[in-house]
Amino acid sequence: MKSIYIGNLAYTTTQQQVHDIFAQFGNVISSRMILDKTTHKFKGYAFVEMDDENAETAVSMLNGESYHGRIMRVSIAN
């Protein structure tokens, strides 16, 4: 299982939308949106967990793609 970082998302993006983007490449084990501790608003990045093979495919296909007018940064999380 690998964790994928998704950055530069629009602040209006929902967890369901992130899940749906990655579900087209395989089973999404979990997803989490990163929220500001004070305002509880979405900070523009998220993490998704997928199995190794599907994660690599999703990263290679989605990195640099436009979503809601913004270019996503997608990579394997450290």
Side-chain angles (χ1 to χ4, degrees):
M1 176 171 61
K2 288 192 178 184
S3 182
I4 302 169
Y5 164 82
I6 309 100
N8 202 34
L9 291 168
Y11 296 115
T12 57
T13 305
T14 66
Q15 187 165 2
Q16 185 62 49
Q17 289 171 325
V18 170
H19 182 275
D20 293 345
I21 292 168
F22 285 85
Q24 61 187 329
F25 297 99
N27 183 40
V28 174
I29 297 165
S30 70
S31 62
R32 64 191 157 114
M33 310 289 280
I34 306 304
L35 306 177
D36 183 272
K37 290 180 183 179
T38 333
T39 64
H40 302 289
K41 292 183 180 181
F42 178 50
K43 292 181 79 172
Y45 65 99
F47 292 92
V48 170
E49 288 185 337
M50 299 179 77
D51 65 61
D52 292 356
E53 185 177 314
N54 293 333
E56 295 288 345
T57 302
V59 167
S60 67
M61 296 296 289
L62 293 173
N63 188 41
E65 291 295 311
S66 178
Y67 187 73
H68 287 247
R70 299 188 73 164
I71 304 298
M72 292 188 294
R73 293 187 192 114
V74 183
S75 62
I76 300 298
N78 293 336

